[in-house]
Amino acid sequence: MTHLFLDAHQDLAYNMAAFGRDYTRSVAETRRLEAGSAIPSYNGNTLLGWPEYQKARVAIVFGTLFAGPARLSAHIYPDSQEYTNPAEANRIYWQQLRSYQRLCDTRADKFRLIGSQSELGKHLVEWEDESQPHPVGLVPLMEGADGIADVRELAEWFGQGLRIIGPAWAGNAYCGGTREPGPLTAAGRTLLREMGANGFILDLSHMDPEAAFQSLEIYEGPVIVSHANAKSLVKGAMFNRLLEDDLLRALLERDAVIGVVPLNSFLNWNWKAEGSRQKVSLRMLAEQVDYICQMAGDARHVGIGSDFDGGYGVESVPAEVDSIADLPKLNPFLLEMGYSDEAVRGIDAGNFLRVLESSLPACPARNHDRFSSQSL
Ligand SMILES: [Zn+2]
């Protein structure tokens, strides 16, 4: 059986729209094209490229839809991907989903959307063949439910390929979020009910703990955390973005899979003050994996959510990592800690694959009127 990776969080559509990044290129090519431009100052030097996905055998990526509220901008993101009202958010999020559809239609040799068990099954069979490259599978994930204008729109989102929704980024109409604590609102409860009815996977990343506990109580469908680390291991971290032990326990009771993040500040809060990225190792990511596995009592509830290119680049990741191609360098640390080959396969891909296999619809959605190059 071939060894694969699944990355549960990459903001590809955002980078395509905001910076014109073309992820069919290599990392070196994108860096060369962006050298001297303002892009690396926004988002660092890229960690992602198609040859690098192939090198690490990253078969599936949860590709996000993400736009930011203008009230928090402060030049974190360029104007084109920020919104000042719900209609703008809705428009940008739809544009990003269309951009994945267009990418997969026009570069079918490089990327493909995965929305059903049958598509997933065929995709994985293809990736068993190690003699040639394969398209990277994309499962669309909405980060921040401001993109949804009305819950009655959820069926259309699902029909167009969206499979995972993380209601929070910052706080919004649905719930408290990062640096903006608060409960699940009445609108948030309605959203979760309708998400469950439509078969969505719930991503609790960025959700304030108060809202996250409430969501775990009422959500009937599958739950993941696409990208977050355990707070206990990140000394000095003073915000609600990382997972406290009590929330981790509640997540594990719900059989959630948690994607750990190889971002230096999520591994060592003071890494900049302490020197450089050379002092942060993937060993610390392995320690995050181990912490959650020890709490779970098994190795079935952790995956990887790199968030690469999600506001940072190569400057802010552990020393061993120059690009996504280096993800497999995590494995020797896990093996050294005593994890079996089977457990490592689960962490690298199998655990999130299990969530997809048990929650995707059996067949592709019927209203499959995906935006195609012919309809341009
Ligand atoms: Zn995020």
Side-chain angles (χ1 to χ4, degrees), residues 259-373:
V260 294
V261 191
L263 166 62
N264 288 354
S265 59
F266 281 19
L267 297 170
N268 176 352
W269 192 246
N270 297 313
W271 73 278
K272 277 186 184 157
E274 289 175 14
S276 70
R277 82 184 198 104
Q278 297 308 323
K279 299 202 174 146
V280 186
S281 166
L282 278 176
R283 173 181 291 281
M284 299 176 76
L285 189 68
E287 287 165 1
Q288 282 283 344
V289 170
D290 186 53
Y291 185 81
I292 300 171
C293 289
Q294 296 294 343
M295 189 182 278
D298 61 44
R300 291 168 54 81
H301 295 90
V302 185
I304 296 165
S306 77
D307 205 9
F308 283 172
D309 287 12
Y312 61 94
V314 68
E315 300 80 1
S316 306
V317 296
E320 299 92 344
V321 180
D322 181 62
S323 78
I324 190 90
D326 298 315
L327 226 40
K329 293 179 180 170
L330 170 67
N331 293 346
F333 293 113
L334 293 171
L335 294 166
E336 193 184 86
M337 287 172 162
Y339 284 80
S340 68
D341 186 57
E342 188 193 349
V344 174
R345 285 171 187 275
I347 291 157
D348 290 346
N351 295 334
F352 273 123
L353 284 177
R354 193 177 68 242
V355 177
L356 293 179
E357 280 160 358
S358 63
S359 56
L360 291 180
C363 296
R366 260 190 299 277
N367 52 339
H368 217 220
D369 56 334
R370 282 185 181 149
F371 190 81
S372 72
S373 45

Side-chain angles (χ1 to χ4, degrees), residues 9 11 64 66 143 168-169 178 205-206 226-227 241 307 310:
H9 200 99
D11 297 330
T64 75
F66 170 75
E143 181 172 30
W169 184 63
T178 296
S205 308
H206 286 278
S226 68
H227 62 313
R241 176 68 181 83
D307 205 9

Side-chain angles (χ1 to χ4, degrees), residues 20 39 59 109 131 185 218 239 278 371:
I39 298 170
D109 58 324
S131 69
T185 64
I218 64 171
F239 73 153
Q278 297 308 323
F371 190 81

Side-chain angles (χ1 to χ4, degrees), residues 64-81:
T64 75
L65 318 178
F66 170 75
R71 66 187 163 82
L72 295 175
S73 169
H75 307 294
I76 302 167
Y77 29 75
D79 296 351
S80 70
Q81 302 303 299

